[in-house]
């Protein structure tokens, strides 16, 4: 919906040229980021595909991710339940060149299959959910 002076316009299609087949999650921060099966991220700005890559990342680092979280004007967080980890990448800004920052690995016999994540950037905490518990991880600055 386009915002007009005192109301919103009629609905219109946002996606102009992005192939969203296999999309499993999305995040919005000015741009729309769509996570697809296999770890591909599509960045849409005003409905058009923009370049997006993660520099300095290990090969196929996003291959098994199932969820993504984007902090407004901050990092990306990707949930990889197969390897019990959260992958962190910087915001790519206008260039779309994000950079691999680090990963957090959850190690314990009691950790179940990771389901979802949330980042409280102001409180500097990462919350990860499995079938029974919520884990609170203090973020490294």
């Amino acid at each position: 919906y386009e915002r007009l002076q005192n109301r919103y316009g009629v609905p219109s299609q946002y996606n102009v040229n992005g192939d969203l087949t296999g999309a499993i999650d999305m995040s919005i921060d000015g741009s729309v980021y769509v996570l697809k099966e296999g770890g591909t991220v599509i960045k849409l700005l005003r409905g058009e595909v923009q370049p997006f890559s993660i520099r300095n990342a290990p090969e196929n680092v996003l291959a098994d991710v199932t969820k993504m979280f984007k902090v407004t004007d901050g990092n990306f967080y990707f949930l990889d339940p197969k390897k019990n980890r959260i992958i962190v990448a910087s915001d790519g800004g206008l260039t779309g060149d994000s950079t691999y920052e680090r990963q957090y690995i959850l190690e314990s016999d009691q950790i179940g299959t990771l389901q979802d994540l949330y980042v409280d950037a102001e409180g500097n905490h990462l919350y990860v959910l499995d079938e029974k518990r919520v884990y609170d991880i203090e973020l490294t600055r």
Side-chain angles (χ1 to χ4, degrees), residues 122-134:
E122 289 181 23
N124 209 32
H125 288 267
L126 165 65
Y127 298 96
V128 182
L129 172 74
D130 72 8
E131 298 100 335
K132 297 180 183 180
R133 296 174 193 85
V134 176

Side-chain angles (χ1 to χ4, degrees), residues 24-37:
I24 56 175
D25 202 7
M26 68 181 269
S27 190
I28 301 172
D29 177 18
S31 296
V32 175
Y33 298 90
V34 179
L35 174 64
K36 296 175 65 170
E37 294 172 340

Side-chain angles (χ1 to χ4, degrees), residues 19-28 32-42 44 61-69 77-82 87 114-117:
D19 178 8
L20 304 183
T21 305
I24 56 175
D25 202 7
M26 68 181 269
S27 190
I28 301 172
V32 175
Y33 298 90
V34 179
L35 174 64
K36 296 175 65 170
E37 294 172 340
T40 302
V41 177
I42 304 294
L44 299 170
V61 71
L62 300 183
D64 297 318
V65 298
T66 58
K67 298 282 183 181
M68 69 183 296
F69 189 92
Y77 294 81
F78 298 95
L79 182 70
D80 182 345
K82 284 190 177 179
I87 299 142
L114 302 181
Q115 306 286 318
D116 210 349
L117 75 162

Side-chain angles (χ1 to χ4, degrees), residues 3 8-10 16 20 25-27 58 67 71 88 97 101 123 141:
R3 184 176 181 169
Y8 288 94
V10 298
V16 175
L20 304 183
D25 202 7
M26 68 181 269
S27 190
K67 298 282 183 181
V71 174
V88 183
D97 288 331
E101 297 283 327
R141 289 217 181 238

Side-chain angles (χ1 to χ4, degrees), residues 6-21:
N6 60 354
R7 62 185 171 81
Y8 288 94
V10 298
S12 61
Q13 181 174 321
Y14 179 79
N15 182 21
V16 175
N17 61 347
D19 178 8
L20 304 183
T21 305

Side-chain angles (χ1 to χ4, degrees), residues 44-78:
L44 299 170
L45 178 62
R46 294 185 184 96
E48 295 189 18
V49 174
Q50 302 295 309
F52 182 84
S53 62
I54 300 177
R55 294 182 308 188
N56 303 326
E59 190 172 328
N60 297 319
V61 71
L62 300 183
D64 297 318
V65 298
T66 58
K67 298 282 183 181
M68 69 183 296
F69 189 92
K70 172 74 173 76
V71 174
T72 303
D73 297 324
N75 290 339
F76 288 93
Y77 294 81
F78 298 95

